[in-house]
Amino acid sequence: MESSGGAGVTVGGGPVVHGYPHLETVRAAVTALYKRLSYDTVHSFDTSVAPADVAFGDQDDLHLGAQRVAREMVRHLHLPDARMIVGFREMRHAASVELAAGPEYFIELNDRFRTHRRDIGAALAHEVMHVYLHRLDLSFPGTRDNEILTDTATTYLGAGWLLLDAYREDGASSQKLGYLTPEEFGYVLAKRALAFGEAPETWFTSAQAYTAYTKGLAQARRDEQQPPLTAAGWAGRRRYAKDRRYAREHGAAVRGGTAGANGGGGAAGTNGAYSFSGDGLGALRVTFPCPTCHQRIRVPVRGRMRVRCTLCRTVLECDT
């Protein structure tokens, strides 16, 4: 029997990390989802969990309400033969789940949720996703990266907006569930919104969550504006042309700029970079990440073309 530590939590005025320190792992997690699930399965989650379906008022019975929300998460993740038994106890983490063979899974929630019931859906979304990924046999090595995978999968498959909405911060206190930063949650949620045509802005009850989403959306749109995509800005196109010319003149592999967290080079690791290389026959090819699923795509350098990602089926307008 395996136990998962579940949703990390920062409460009681502790510092909340901001920015995009896990962006490369987040992007790898999106790619892993498409590879393991397939395009058709990912798009079977085309509708997010509705706010009304996980609403939890103070007048609701604690245990019956928690079981109701857990059943909604099971339904959303297409796990009809899984039964979640939810309890509460004092613990360091927000929640944990025992990853047994099933069909029953025991989820424990932090005692603080007895009086913070509006966030029970967020904690359960993360824990039920642990069960989903466990059944898929999809994991990343190491606790940190595996939790980032779980947060990313929860958000991309339609339940993680609850984790972002649980983020609240003011001068006296702060709370954040999950291992991603608020902006990273916003980024993954924006990726989903762009892929599925959703508008999650209206779901937030937390003003800080809305702000984090808008920042994540800006970063997600920057992914769509990196060369050789035709939507790239003037500076990116100029840099790309310079790198392409160098690769042609020197016959050497050249790695170009990256889709960094600030839209510039270098900040987010190699996943956002294009690179040039020869094809063994004297022709030049460019490799770059799909802005939707981050699978790397390799095509000939021959000007304007349409490229279709074989993993997520996104059609990209490129000028190579």
Side-chain angles (χ1 to χ4, degrees), residues 4-305:
S4 170
V9 61
T10 300
V11 293
V16 174
V17 176
H18 289 276
Y20 302 91
H22 314 114
L23 194 56
E24 193 167 348
T25 306
V26 167
R27 288 168 170 165
V30 174
T31 307
L33 280 177
Y34 274 97
K35 285 184 174 180
R36 183 65 181 86
L37 294 178
S38 81
Y39 168 89
D40 289 331
T41 302
V42 169
H43 279 257
S44 70
F45 296 94
D46 57 348
T47 303
S48 290
V49 171
D53 292 336
V54 293
F56 200 141
D58 290 339
Q59 72 280 4
D60 294 337
D61 181 272
L62 177 65
H63 291 89
L64 291 179
Q67 292 296 148
R68 173 181 56 82
V69 174
R71 285 195 299 271
E72 175 58 27
M73 294 303 167
V74 167
R75 183 204 63 79
H76 177 76
L77 292 178
H78 311 160
L79 293 169
D81 60 336
R83 296 192 298 273
M84 306 296 156
I85 312 300
V86 183
F88 296 81
R89 70 174 176 87
E90 291 186 8
M91 56 195 304
R92 183 169 62 90
H93 291 292
S96 66
V97 60
E98 291 183 351
L99 297 177
E104 291 186 340
Y105 298 87
F106 293 89
I107 296 176
E108 293 182 314
L109 301 182
N110 193 300
D111 262 342
R112 73 184 307 272
F113 289 114
R114 292 178 182 272
T115 55
H116 292 75
R117 299 183 183 186
R118 62 186 285 192
D119 299 323
I120 283 178
L124 288 176
H126 181 99
E127 298 311 316
V128 177
M129 180 56 72
H130 268 300
V131 174
Y132 183 78
L133 296 176
H134 177 68
R135 288 189 169 194
L136 283 177
D137 194 26
L138 176 59
S139 64
F140 279 0
T143 299
R144 168 189 169 277
D145 286 1
N146 200 53
E147 293 293 347
I148 291 171
L149 168 64
T150 304
D151 278 344
T152 302
T154 306
T155 306
Y156 203 83
L157 297 185
W161 69 268
L162 290 160
L163 285 160
L164 178 54
D165 196 39
Y167 163 55
R168 290 180 287 278
E169 192 169 13
D170 56 37
S173 64
S174 61
Q175 172 183 280
K176 185 189 76 69
L177 300 181
Y179 284 70
L180 299 184
T181 69
E183 292 78 16
E184 287 168 341
F185 271 120
Y187 172 79
V188 181
L189 186 58
K191 285 287 190 181
R192 174 184 168 80
L194 294 171
F196 291 84
E198 287 187 327
E201 298 92 331
T202 60
W203 303 337
F204 295 121
T205 62
S206 163
Q208 293 85 7
Y210 177 83
T211 299
Y213 172 72
T214 60
K215 291 180 179 179
L217 178 60
Q219 174 60 32
R221 291 199 180 280
R222 280 193 286 270
D223 288 353
E224 300 177 336
Q225 298 167 356
Q226 299 299 315
L229 302 176
T230 56
W234 176 83
R237 295 297 309 158
R238 184 181 182 189
R239 184 182 68 239
Y240 180 86
K242 179 180 178 181
D243 292 337
R244 180 178 57 195
R245 183 168 59 251
Y246 183 91
R248 279 176 169 157
E249 291 175 354
H250 294 81
V254 175
R255 181 173 296 281
T258 70
N262 297 309
T270 60
N271 185 270
Y274 59 82
S275 61
F276 296 102
S277 61
D279 64 358
L281 300 175
L284 194 64
R285 289 181 174 268
V286 63
T287 303
F288 62 97
C290 170
T292 299
C293 70
H294 302 287
Q295 166 91 328
R296 294 193 70 81
I297 300 169
R298 188 169 185 254
V299 297
V301 173
R302 60 184 186 201
R304 293 185 71 95
M305 64 173 68

